[in-house]
C-alpha cells in the first residue's frame, strides 16, 4: 500500500453521501489511503487531471481488477498503442458525425414512443419509467443488440456495474455479474451473423469489420453497456430532478436563456454519475511526500474533483452560471469517455427538451433518494405528469 495518510470511512454512509468525507479528504489528506476500499484516493481536481495522463505510473491495465476479471480486458483497461487501436476501431460508432447523422434521429423516435406510453398516466417514477427505457433503447441501437428489451439492457448493465464496484467481495453480487455477462455473450452470438450479413454503424458491426477478435469485441460491448446504460439513465433522471428543484433555472432553460446542455453538464459536475476511475500503480512513484508502490490500487475520485473548492466558485450547489470548464465529468487525457458525444445528444438534444415539452406541468411527487460513490444517481424520482 502507499504511504498516504489513512482516512477511515463508514462504507454505508459513504454510499449514501460521499461528499462530506471527500470534502474532508481534500482539506486534510488530499491523497489518502482508505482501508475500507483497499485503495489510495486522489481527491483534488488538478491532481486527478495531471495523474490521469501519467499512464506509465497510474495504469489502466489491471489484469486482476474487477472489470477485467468479470468482463474481459476492454479498451478502457488498456494503455498506449493497444488502447489507441481499439479506440480507433470503435470511433465510427461514436463519432460526432455518426451521432448527428445516425443515432440522434433514432433517439428521437424511441423517446417519442416512450413518452406516448406515459400519456394518460397521473404520475410515474422517472428513473424506471422514462430515463431507463430512453437510455436502454439508445444503447440497443448503438451496440447492435436490438433484439433485447430496454429493461433487459438495464438489468445486465446494473449487474455489471455492481460487480465492478464489489470491492467488499459479496459472492451474490459477483454471481449476478457473471449471469449478466453470460447473457450479453449470448445476445452478441445471436446478432453477429445478422450484422455480418447487413453491416451497420453499431458497435458490434464496426468492430467486426475492423478485424478485432471476438474476445475484444465482446469485452468492448460489455464496457459500453456497463457505462452506456446507467450513466445516461441516472443523468437524465437526475438532471430533471435538479431542474424541478431549481425552478428559476428550469424557466430559463424552457425559454432558451440556458441551454439544456448547460443544465445537463452542470448536473454532471455536481453529482458525477461516474464518481471514480480505478488505476494500478505500474512503478514506484513519489508525490507530495507520499510513495506509491507497484500494484497499489488508486482511485481517481472524479466526484471529488468536480466539487473542488479551489476550482469551482460554487462547488456544492447546482449553479448553471458558474464556470465548469475544469470539470472532469467525462474523465481526461487518453481515457476521456468515448461515448461523451452520444450522451450529450441523447440527454441535452432529446431526453430533456422532449420530456418538458410533452409534460409542461411536470412536478415532483415525493422524496428523491440518491446512492453510490463509484457510480452515483437517483434511485427513484417520483413525479406528477400533469
Amino acid at each position: 500500500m502507499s504511504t498516504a495518510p489513512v482516512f477511515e470511512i463508514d462504507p454505508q454512509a459513504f454510499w449514501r453521501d460521499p461528499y462530506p468525507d471527500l470534502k474532508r479528504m481534500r482539506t486534510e489528506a488530499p491523497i489518502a489511503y482508505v482501508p475500507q476500499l483497499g485503495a489510495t484516493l486522489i481527491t483534488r481536481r488538478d491532481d486527478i487531471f495531471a495523474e490521469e495522463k501519467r499512464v506509465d505510473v497510474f495504469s489502466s491495465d489491471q489484469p486482476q481488477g474487477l472489470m477485467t476479471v468479470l468482463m474481459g480486458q476492454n479498451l478502457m483497461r488498456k494503455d498506449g498503442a493497444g488502447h489507441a487501436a481499439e479506440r480507433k476501431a470503435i470511433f465510427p460508432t461514436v463519432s460526432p458525425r455518426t451521432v448527428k447523422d445516425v443515432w440522434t434521429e433514432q433517439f428521437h423516435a424511441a423517446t417519442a414512443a416512450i413518452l406516448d406510453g406515459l400519456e394518460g398516466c397521473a404520475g410515474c417514477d422517472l428513473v424506471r419509467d422514462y430515463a431507463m427505457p430512453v437510455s436502454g433503447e439508445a444503447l440497443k441501437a448503438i451496440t447492435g443488440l436490438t433484439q433485447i428489451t430496454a429493461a433487459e439492457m438495464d438489468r445486465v448493465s446494473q449487474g455489471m456495474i455492481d460487480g465492478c464496484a464489489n470491492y467488499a467481495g459479496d459472492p451474490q453480487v459477483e454471481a449476478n455479474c457473471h449471469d449478466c455477462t453470460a447473457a450479453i455473450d449470448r445476445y452478441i452470438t445471436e446478432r453477429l451473423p445478422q450484422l455480418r450479413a447487413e453491416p451497420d454503424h453499431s458497435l458490434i458491426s464496426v468492430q467486426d469489420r475492423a478485424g478485432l477478435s471476438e474476445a475484444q469485441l465482446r469485452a468492448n460491448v460489455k464496457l459500453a453497456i456497463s457505462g452506456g446504460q446507467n450513466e445516461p439513465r441516472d443523468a437524465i433522471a437526475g438532471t430533471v430532478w435538479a431542474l424541478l428543484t431549481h425552478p428559476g433555472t428550469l424557466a430559463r432553460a424552457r425559454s432558451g436563456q440556458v441551454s439544456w446542455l448547460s443544465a445537463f453538464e452542470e448536473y454532471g459536475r455536481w453529482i458525477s454519475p461516474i464518481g471514480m476511475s480505478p488505476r494500478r500503480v505500474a512503478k514506484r512513484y513519489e508525490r507530495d511526500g507520499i510513495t506509491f508502490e507497484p500494484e497499489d490500487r488508486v482511485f481517481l475520485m472524479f466526484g471529488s474533483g468536480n466539487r473542488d473548492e479551489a476550482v469551482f466558485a460554487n462547488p456544492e450547489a447546482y449553479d448553471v452560471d458558474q464556470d465548469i470548464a475544469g470539470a472532469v465529468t467525462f474523465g481526461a487525457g487518453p481515457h476521456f469517455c468515448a461515448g461523451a458525444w452520444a450522451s450529450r445528444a441523447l440527454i441535452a438534444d432529446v431526453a430533456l427538451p422532449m420530456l418538458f415539452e410533452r409534460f409542461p406541468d411536470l412536478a415532483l411527487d415525493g422524496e428523491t433518494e440518491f446512492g453510490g460513490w463509484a457510480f452515483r444517481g437517483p434511485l427513484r424520482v417520483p413525479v406528477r405528469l400533469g
Side-chain angles (χ1 to χ4, degrees):
M1 57 181 276
S2 74
T3 61
V6 173
F7 190 101
E8 303 272 355
I9 64 167
D10 176 340
Q12 292 184 337
F14 197 67
W15 185 88
R16 289 192 300 271
D17 183 3
Y19 300 117
D21 280 329
L22 292 172
K23 185 174 183 177
R24 281 186 55 209
M25 284 185 223
R26 289 195 302 274
T27 301
E28 300 172 13
I31 301 176
Y33 179 77
V34 178
Q36 291 79 8
L37 302 178
T40 300
L41 277 57
I42 299 178
T43 59
R44 286 181 177 168
R45 183 270 176 196
D46 288 350
D47 293 345
I48 293 166
F49 190 78
E51 301 303 347
E52 187 171 19
K53 299 180 177 68
R54 205 183 303 274
V55 296
D56 61 320
V57 176
F58 298 108
S59 175
S60 293
D61 183 6
Q62 301 164 51
Q64 301 307 312
L66 286 172
M67 179 176 281
T68 302
V69 170
L70 294 169
M71 294 164 51
Q73 189 178 21
N74 56 57
L75 67 90
M76 190 173 166
R77 289 295 175 261
K78 296 180 180 180
D79 291 315
H83 170 79
E86 291 191 33
R87 195 175 178 101
K88 181 179 179 181
I90 72 164
F91 188 70
T93 295
V94 295
S95 73
R97 179 175 292 277
T98 304
V99 170
K100 179 182 177 182
D101 294 347
V102 178
W103 302 131
T104 300
E105 182 179 354
Q106 296 186 40
F107 296 166
H108 273 284
T111 300
I114 292 163
L115 289 167
D116 288 345
L118 293 176
E119 287 283 2
C121 298
C124 71
D125 171 15
L126 278 181
V127 177
R128 180 194 63 210
D129 300 321
Y130 183 65
M132 184 274 283
V134 167
S135 182
E137 292 296 334
L139 194 56
K140 285 168 55 179
I142 290 173
T143 59
L145 297 179
T146 53
Q147 81 275 36
I148 69 175
T149 65
E152 175 64 355
M153 184 66 83
D154 193 74
R155 182 189 77 85
V156 296
S157 173
Q158 192 65 52
M160 286 193 297
I161 66 168
D162 289 345
C164 290
N166 185 29
Y167 294 103
D170 186 323
Q172 290 184 323
V173 172
E174 181 178 347
N176 182 58
C177 182
H178 284 305
D179 176 73
C180 292
T181 59
I184 295 168
D185 279 325
R186 291 195 303 272
Y187 302 143
I188 293 172
T189 298
E190 290 174 1
R191 283 289 285 151
L192 260 173
Q194 301 164 14
L195 289 168
R196 283 170 176 164
E198 299 181 42
D200 61 15
H201 287 86
S202 70
L203 187 59
I204 295 173
S205 187
V206 300
Q207 291 186 97
D208 189 49
R209 296 201 304 278
L212 269 62
S213 70
E214 276 205 27
Q216 291 171 294
L217 182 154
R218 291 172 184 274
N220 288 334
V221 171
K222 290 169 190 170
L223 169 65
I225 292 172
S226 68
Q229 169 64 11
N230 67 298
E231 291 153 19
R233 177 199 68 200
D234 294 348
I236 292 167
T239 305
V240 173
W241 167 82
L243 288 167
L244 291 174
T245 54
H246 295 77
T249 302
L250 175 56
R252 292 167 65 198
R254 287 183 186 273
S255 69
Q257 295 176 324
V258 169
S259 71
W260 297 110
L261 180 61
S262 294
F264 156 54
E265 291 194 329
E266 167 59 0
Y267 172 81
R269 179 209 62 82
W270 185 40
I271 299 296
S272 296
I274 308 171
M276 75 89 175
S277 185
R279 295 291 189 270
R280 175 183 63 86
V281 176
K283 64 182 182 183
R284 198 169 192 269
Y285 177 65
E286 293 187 13
R287 180 190 173 107
D288 299 336
I290 294 167
T291 301
F292 296 85
E293 298 292 349
E295 305 307 318
D296 282 352
R297 178 192 289 163
V298 171
F299 291 164
L300 303 175
M301 300 301 293
F302 297 152
S304 176
N306 279 340
R307 292 196 177 198
D308 192 331
E309 301 81 358
V311 177
F312 303 102
N314 199 6
E316 302 292 331
Y318 180 71
D319 179 0
V320 296
D321 294 315
Q322 67 181 316
D323 181 1
I324 62 167
V328 288
T329 306
F330 290 105
H335 286 279
F336 181 83
C337 178
W341 296 290
S343 293
R344 287 168 173 145
L346 177 65
I347 298 167
D349 296 342
V350 177
L352 296 178
M354 289 183 70
L355 176 68
F356 283 108
E357 181 179 356
R358 181 69 68 96
F359 298 111
D361 297 321
L362 187 72
L364 292 172
D365 191 26
E367 292 296 319
T368 296
E369 180 183 358
F370 281 72
W373 59 271
F375 302 96
R376 185 162 181 81
L379 306 181
R380 59 189 299 267
V381 181
V383 295
R384 297 188 308 277
L385 296 176

